[in-house]
Amino acid sequence: MNQMIGQKLSIVTDKPQTTRHRILGLCSAPDYQMILYDTPGVIQKKVHKLDSMMMKNVHTATIGAECVLIVVDACKIPEKVSMEIDSLLGGDISQTKERMPTLLVLNKKDLIKPGEIAKIVEWYGKFGGADHILPVSAKYGNGVEDVKNWIVSKLPHGPPYYPKDIISEHPERFFVSEIVREKIFMQYRQEIPYACQVNVVRYIARPTSKHFIEVEILVEKEAQKIILIGKEGRALKTLATASRLDIEDFLQKKVYLEINVKVKSNWRQDEDLLERCGYGGNIRVW
């Protein structure tokens, strides 16, 4: 989605389940407008209330969709994705595939020899369960134009839903929180990234000086807070610096970023808090 739009909206890390929200992106041209939803990956085993709400968001995104794209890592051992497609389309793939085309996108083709790619495509063609397969390199953009053309071929004729000069409907503070969360995923290991929830509690736009942004990070245990902050606060300072630089690049504006860490036990099971954090489907402003 980032490559098709030409700007980074969805955060990207090498860890699974980085995406938590349903991210809306708009890709517009003179003769079309694509409304794209980047959703969390399919979670088969739901441990927390957060997992269940994320999967509800995934299913909601397919309602009214013209097509569905399943992105898989082509470097990993091929496996059938028909269960994921079945799950996404409501449990009856035989009936829903006719009205909702499915594209299997094999990502990271830049890391695989051309001959091996052909074998992987052949395997997924026999056992993958999708209507069509396209290998791409999302990192370098190779094959992304093919994906875009496939999507456009599935779109109905009609007027655009959004002005063509915007790329998303989410507020800036949502993307600020996502940037901070991305840096947590990149800097910390094991359970720390998954135990963190990032909220923007204050966002003061200043036309003639730096924007002021106050962020809180919720963790579930005191030990996690200690790791997040680090010795003499050095880890948190590193996180804040990396976050601030990316936020300034995204906003094209200098910012003063303040980050606080708080303990909220079992926040991933707190339905009311999860609703306020936007996991109920609406991105809310704190």
Side-chain angles (χ1 to χ4, degrees):
M1 186 174 79
N2 292 341
Q3 282 283 5
M4 284 192 282
I5 292 173
Q7 184 169 337
K8 185 176 177 180
L9 293 182
S10 291
I11 62 175
V12 181
T13 79
D14 59 357
K15 295 181 176 66
Q17 298 303 327
T18 297
T19 303
R20 284 183 183 168
H21 291 278
R22 188 179 63 199
I23 313 295
L24 183 145
L26 302 168
C27 180
S28 300
D31 55 345
Y32 67 81
Q33 180 177 78
M34 292 188 290
I35 301 172
L36 306 169
Y37 277 119
D38 182 20
T39 70
V42 175
I43 302 174
Q44 299 292 357
K45 186 178 179 181
K46 304 171 186 66
V47 178
H48 303 96
K49 184 66 178 177
L50 172 62
D51 300 334
S52 299
M53 295 179 76
M54 285 165 56
M55 289 304 93
K56 184 178 179 181
N57 259 329
V58 173
H59 293 299
T60 302
T62 65
I63 298 174
E66 305 299 336
C67 56
V68 172
L69 280 64
I70 310 292
V71 182
V72 299
D73 187 340
C75 295
K76 294 183 178 180
I77 298 174
E79 58 183 33
K80 294 182 180 180
V81 293
S82 55
M83 287 183 61
E84 281 77 7
I85 297 173
D86 192 3
S87 174
L88 284 171
L89 301 185
D92 194 349
I93 189 171
S94 62
Q95 294 182 16
T96 54
K97 276 183 66 178
E98 290 186 6
R99 66 175 179 81
M100 195 182 300
T102 54
L103 172 66
L104 185 63
V105 180
L106 303 178
N107 193 24
K108 302 184 182 179
K109 77 170 188 177
D110 53 294
L111 301 178
I112 303 173
K113 295 178 180 179
E116 292 299 313
I117 279 287
K119 293 178 183 178
I120 296 170
V121 170
E122 183 181 1
W123 190 95
Y124 275 111
K126 292 180 179 179
F127 307 108
D131 299 326
H132 196 66
I133 303 168
L134 287 173
V136 307
S137 169
K139 182 176 182 179
Y140 297 106
N142 300 331
V144 173
E145 196 66 26
D146 294 332
V147 174
K148 186 185 295 186
N149 291 336
W150 184 89
I151 296 172
V152 171
S153 72
K154 309 304 176 187
L155 299 181
H157 294 282
Y161 283 89
Y162 294 90
K164 289 196 172 184
D165 59 344
I166 67 170
I167 58 173
S168 185
E169 64 176 3
H170 302 310
E172 288 180 339
R173 56 196 297 157
F174 167 74
F175 293 109
V176 168
S177 67
E178 285 289 276
I179 289 170
V180 176
R181 200 167 61 79
E182 178 186 61
K183 302 312 171 191
I184 293 172
F185 265 78
M186 295 174 69
Q187 183 175 327
Y188 300 90
R189 299 182 181 275
Q190 296 178 340
E191 88 280 1
I192 297 298
Y194 302 99
C196 292
Q197 166 62 29
V198 179
N199 300 316
V200 176
V201 294
R202 276 203 295 169
Y203 187 121
I204 303 174
R206 296 167 171 167
T208 59
S209 60
K210 294 180 180 180
H211 287 354
F212 175 82
I213 302 174
E214 181 184 353
V215 169
E216 73 171 15
I217 302 173
L218 300 180
V219 293
E220 295 185 315
K221 301 175 183 178
E222 190 66 34
Q224 295 165 348
K225 178 179 177 180
I226 292 171
I227 294 172
L228 203 64
I229 294 174
K231 186 176 181 180
E232 298 178 351
R234 286 198 288 266
L236 188 62
K237 184 177 180 180
T238 299
L239 173 67
T241 300
S243 300
R244 177 181 56 78
L245 292 173
D246 262 25
I247 291 168
E248 289 179 339
D249 183 60
F250 180 80
L251 298 176
Q252 292 296 294
K253 173 74 177 182
K254 292 290 185 181
V255 304
Y256 177 84
L257 179 65
E258 180 179 303
I259 299 180
N260 299 304
V261 184
K262 297 181 179 180
V263 177
K264 171 66 175 174
S265 299
N266 295 319
W267 67 262
R268 284 179 283 186
Q269 300 286 25
D270 188 333
E271 187 168 357
D272 180 63
L273 184 143
L274 293 171
E275 285 280 355
R276 288 188 286 120
C277 293
Y279 295 109
N282 297 315
I283 305 300
R284 300 189 181 183
V285 177
W286 279 58

